[in-house]
Amino acid sequence: MKNYLKFLILILFVSCGNEEKDSENLVEVNQITIGNHIERLASDEFLGRKPFTEGEVITVNYLKDEFEKLGLLPGNGNSYFQDVPMIEITGTPSEKMVISGKNGSFNLEFLKDFVAFTNKAVTDVSLENSELVFAGYGIVAPEYGWNDYEGIDWKGKTAVVLINDPGFKSSDSTLFKGNEMTYYGRWTYKYEEAARQGADGLIIIHDTEPASYGWNVIESGWSGARLIIESDLPLLNVESWISGESAKKMFDVSAMKGEDYKTLSRNKNFKPIPLDLKVSVDIKNKIKKDVSKNVVALIPGTNRKDEYIIYSAHWDHFGIGKTIEGDSIYNGAVDNASGTAGLLAIAEAFKKSNRTERSVVFIAVTGEEQGLLGSAFYAENPIFTPSKTVANINIDALDSPGKMKDLTITGYGQSEMDEYAKEAAEKQNRYIIPDPEAEKGYFFRSDHYNFAKIGIPALYASGAYEGIDKSIEEIKKYNDNYRMYIYHQPSDEYNPDTTELSGIQLDLQLFFNVGFKLSNEDYFPKWYDSSEFKAARK
């Protein structure tokens, strides 16, 4: 009898263990669902999904209807929507930016040589013979003993700065974070800091490698209407980029002619250098105040419904813009119809699983392409208590030529979400790696960043390095082609006959498996001690 009872207990133990293992893989994220939603969201019918357009109305209603069909509840009280008040500024810069000085003057052409815009909601802004001062990387970082603005009264002046930060390609791992971009390297930070310093304007010098995208992305993404969230923070009159070729012309007639300005900028003792040049440009704006929407849907938990797993993806893209090769609709199939479709496919899988002890939330956020605006608004106005939010799994720009051996984690080493991802990847016979292109700053370029800022451990990952059937070199060529010719271009379209969905499905299955595990346990993943976000969690 004792042996029989032991046998029954052993069988029960094994069964329970297998049940837990099998239940993670019991429900498959449906590849047909993924493809159908990408095809719809990236169709011309959705007009490029730009906020404040008819494309937004179509998109958010489509998402609301699809969540409702799946049986998900409204995530914001009785509503599937969270209103995000924004201001649309349609700026028309002067055709020329005039650079003048005693050693020569020249004009830069709009779009070809420069872009200019403002976040000030006023009808007219300008720089009129504003003194140009080179400010290195435009960084003030006390923890590194770094101040590129020191010693100058910036009122009435325009700073000229480099993109990225001093550690990029420096061969010095102790300089900032070495080749890994810090937030100081992002264009968003550079405009914020110049405004804090009291400057009138800022010019960022474009360089393809440290920016991680070509001038064509600046041309298409930084012209036309832009969206902002109202803020009491200081703002510049003019925010602008100039091409690398234009920067060379500028330095050739400046007080720094012949100087290696990139090397100078890496020196900890660098101080800003007046260029003996002035800049003039003006912008006329049309102002429109309106409300965009985050779409929020909820699967309530059974036992711990006040603890939440949040899946996020941005629904927006660039709408209708500059015509390229006869096409003016920026469909955004990869960026980010893929992630938005992923939300719906994962929601479908959760409903089929019919087992979530914690609540699972799906948020399709607005305004990511304009500076992570929808997730920033959510972070400032959270619907679900951040301290009770277990984790965020963010899905952005899934694309692959097939199934991948790797799972590349952007922001690897930040939190225990790495361990959850590793466990799920190993069950798919995959391995995890840190982002091999950390210098491109992807950690700061998608919506998980705003969840991290309020202390919520976040996972942002995808297969991106080595294919099961394709080599590392082939995958790199594939990714490089996307960034150069498809990213933020009208060519980011969906073709059901040529788009390979198997790699996307594999990633989404992993995200489901991670979320499923989190939703059926009582543990809260922690930030590692070295993470700058640990304090926010406390």
Side-chain angles (χ1 to χ4, degrees):
M1 179 62 71
K2 282 184 179 179
N3 288 336
Y4 179 69
L5 288 173
K6 286 180 180 178
F7 178 74
L8 284 179
I9 291 168
L10 178 62
I11 291 294
L12 181 61
F13 176 79
V14 171
S15 298
C16 290
N18 285 338
E19 181 185 357
E20 181 179 356
K21 182 177 179 182
D22 290 342
S23 66
E24 286 193 341
N25 297 296
L26 183 63
V27 176
E28 185 174 85
V29 177
N30 191 294
Q31 187 167 305
I32 295 173
T33 297
I34 298 165
N36 288 342
H37 286 307
I38 295 176
E39 185 169 16
R40 279 297 304 280
L41 289 160
S43 67
D44 285 356
E45 173 195 354
F46 284 68
L47 302 171
R49 304 189 310 279
K50 187 170 184 178
F52 285 15
T53 69
E54 181 61 25
E56 165 165 8
V57 176
I58 296 168
T59 303
V60 298
N61 285 328
Y62 175 81
L63 294 174
K64 179 251 186 191
D65 291 346
E66 293 301 315
F67 281 130
E68 202 166 19
K69 286 178 191 174
L70 289 170
L72 275 69
L73 300 181
N76 188 18
N78 295 321
S79 177
Y80 287 94
F81 301 127
Q82 181 186 36
D83 287 349
V84 183
M86 293 185 187
I87 302 173
E88 181 183 77
I89 302 176
T90 305
T92 304
S94 49
E95 288 298 316
K96 308 290 183 185
M97 174 183 278
V98 180
I99 307 290
S100 59
K102 61 184 179 183
N103 295 324
S105 301
F106 59 93
N107 296 335
L108 301 180
E109 295 182 31
F110 178 56
L111 293 182
K112 177 177 178 289
D113 302 314
F114 82 96
V115 295
F117 41 92
T118 185
N119 283 332
K120 286 189 172 182
V122 294
T123 55
D124 294 276
V125 295
S126 65
L127 299 173
E128 295 293 340
N129 290 317
S130 178
E131 183 182 343
L132 288 172
V133 180
F134 180 60
Y137 283 94
I139 292 171
V140 178
E143 69 273 30
Y144 294 112
W146 203 279
N147 190 342
D148 286 330
Y149 285 95
E150 191 174 8
I152 287 209
D153 179 0
W154 286 91
K155 185 177 180 180
K157 297 179 177 64
T158 294
V160 178
V161 304
L162 303 172
I163 192 62
N164 216 303
D165 62 43
F168 178 75
K169 296 291 185 183
S170 66
S171 302
D172 182 354
S173 61
T174 66
L175 188 58
F176 284 64
K177 289 188 177 180
N179 213 41
E180 179 182 346
M181 185 192 285
T182 66
Y183 185 58
Y184 296 118
R186 284 288 288 150
W187 58 266
T188 47
Y189 165 79
K190 295 179 189 294
Y191 292 130
E192 292 164 4
E193 189 58 56
R196 281 191 288 267
Q197 295 296 324
D200 270 8
L202 178 72
I203 297 173
I204 298 177
I205 298 170
H206 175 262
D207 190 347
T208 296
E209 191 176 14
S212 81
Y213 39 76
W215 182 256
N216 61 328
V217 174
I218 301 293
E219 206 176 351
S220 59
W222 296 84
S223 55
R226 293 190 57 77
L227 297 173
I228 64 168
I229 294 175
E230 284 192 271
S231 171
D232 294 328
L233 296 174
L235 297 170
L236 297 167
N237 283 340
V238 174
E239 303 178 359
S240 65
W241 291 74
I242 62 171
S243 67
E245 295 81 3
S246 300
K248 183 179 184 306
K249 288 171 68 175
M250 179 182 66
F251 282 113
D252 282 347
V253 296
S254 77
M256 289 184 66
K257 182 177 182 180
E259 298 268 17
D260 184 349
Y261 58 88
K262 292 183 181 179
T263 300
L264 282 173
S265 300
R266 286 203 176 105
N267 190 322
K268 190 174 184 178
N269 298 316
F270 171 87
K271 293 295 179 286
I273 303 170
L275 294 176
D276 289 341
L277 295 172
K278 294 181 178 180
V279 61
S280 295
V281 66
D282 63 77
I283 306 172
K284 297 191 181 303
N285 297 315
K286 292 180 180 178
I287 312 297
K288 176 185 176 184
K289 293 189 177 184
D290 209 333
V291 175
S292 188
K293 296 184 186 300
N294 292 334
V295 185
V296 191
L298 171 71
I299 300 174
T302 54
N303 295 336
R304 292 183 296 281
K305 61 176 59 181
D306 63 341
E307 296 175 2
Y308 307 93
I309 318 298
I310 294 181
Y311 284 90
S312 61
H314 73 91
W315 59 256
D316 66 298
H317 202 56
F318 287 104
I320 297 174
K322 179 186 175 185
T323 300
I324 298 176
E325 296 184 359
D327 191 357
S328 62
I329 298 180
Y330 289 66
N331 302 86
V334 172
D335 188 14
N336 186 33
S338 65
T340 312
L343 289 184
L344 294 168
I346 290 174
E348 178 184 67
F350 267 104
K351 289 299 291 184
K352 287 180 179 178
S353 75
N354 198 30
R355 181 186 159 200
T356 52
E357 295 188 8
R358 285 168 159 162
S359 296
V360 183
V361 179
F362 299 86
I363 305 181
V365 294
T366 181
E368 191 269 358
E369 302 291 8
Q370 308 289 333
L372 315 183
L373 300 184
S375 58
F377 184 85
Y378 178 88
E380 293 178 10
N381 305 274
I383 298 169
F384 307 100
T385 307
S387 63
K388 290 287 190 177
T389 301
V390 178
N392 165 240
I393 299 172
N394 185 54
I395 313 170
D396 193 358
L398 294 181
D399 185 30
S400 74
K403 292 183 178 180
M404 306 295 284
K405 291 181 181 178
D406 73 284
L407 180 76
T408 297
I409 299 178
T410 300
Y412 178 83
Q414 291 279 5
S415 80
E416 291 176 342
M417 290 298 288
D418 293 349
E419 298 304 315
Y420 283 82
K422 181 180 180 183
E423 179 185 348
E426 286 175 348
K427 288 180 179 178
Q428 293 181 332
N429 296 315
R430 301 167 74 182
Y431 61 87
I432 66 169
I433 59 170
D435 181 5
E437 297 181 308
E439 71 276 8
K440 299 186 187 304
Y442 291 123
F443 186 79
F444 311 105
R445 289 167 61 174
S446 193
D447 294 296
H448 65 283
Y449 175 62
N450 283 319
F451 290 96
K453 282 173 71 175
I454 58 172
I456 300 170
L459 175 64
Y460 177 43
S462 66
Y465 183 68
E466 181 181 11
I468 289 176
D469 300 319
K470 291 181 173 60
S471 67
I472 293 170
E473 292 74 21
E474 288 175 299
I475 297 300
K476 183 179 185 306
K477 184 178 179 181
Y478 182 90
N479 291 336
D480 288 347
N481 179 75
Y482 167 74
R483 289 170 190 154
M484 186 59 65
Y485 301 110
I486 299 172
Y487 175 64
H488 287 188
Q489 304 297 305
S491 52
D492 186 3
E493 297 183 308
Y494 180 73
N495 184 333
D497 297 325
T498 59
T499 301
E500 176 55 71
L501 293 172
S502 62
I504 295 173
Q505 189 278 336
L506 193 66
D507 284 348
L508 291 173
Q509 187 68 52
L510 185 145
F511 301 152
F512 167 75
N513 291 348
V514 169
F516 185 85
K517 179 178 174 64
L518 287 165
S519 72
N520 289 292
E521 64 181 20
D522 58 9
Y523 185 73
F524 278 71
K526 294 178 175 60
W527 293 103
Y528 295 135
D529 289 342
S530 59
S531 173
E532 60 267 43
F533 303 108
K534 183 179 180 181
R537 188 57 152 180
K538 288 184 178 180

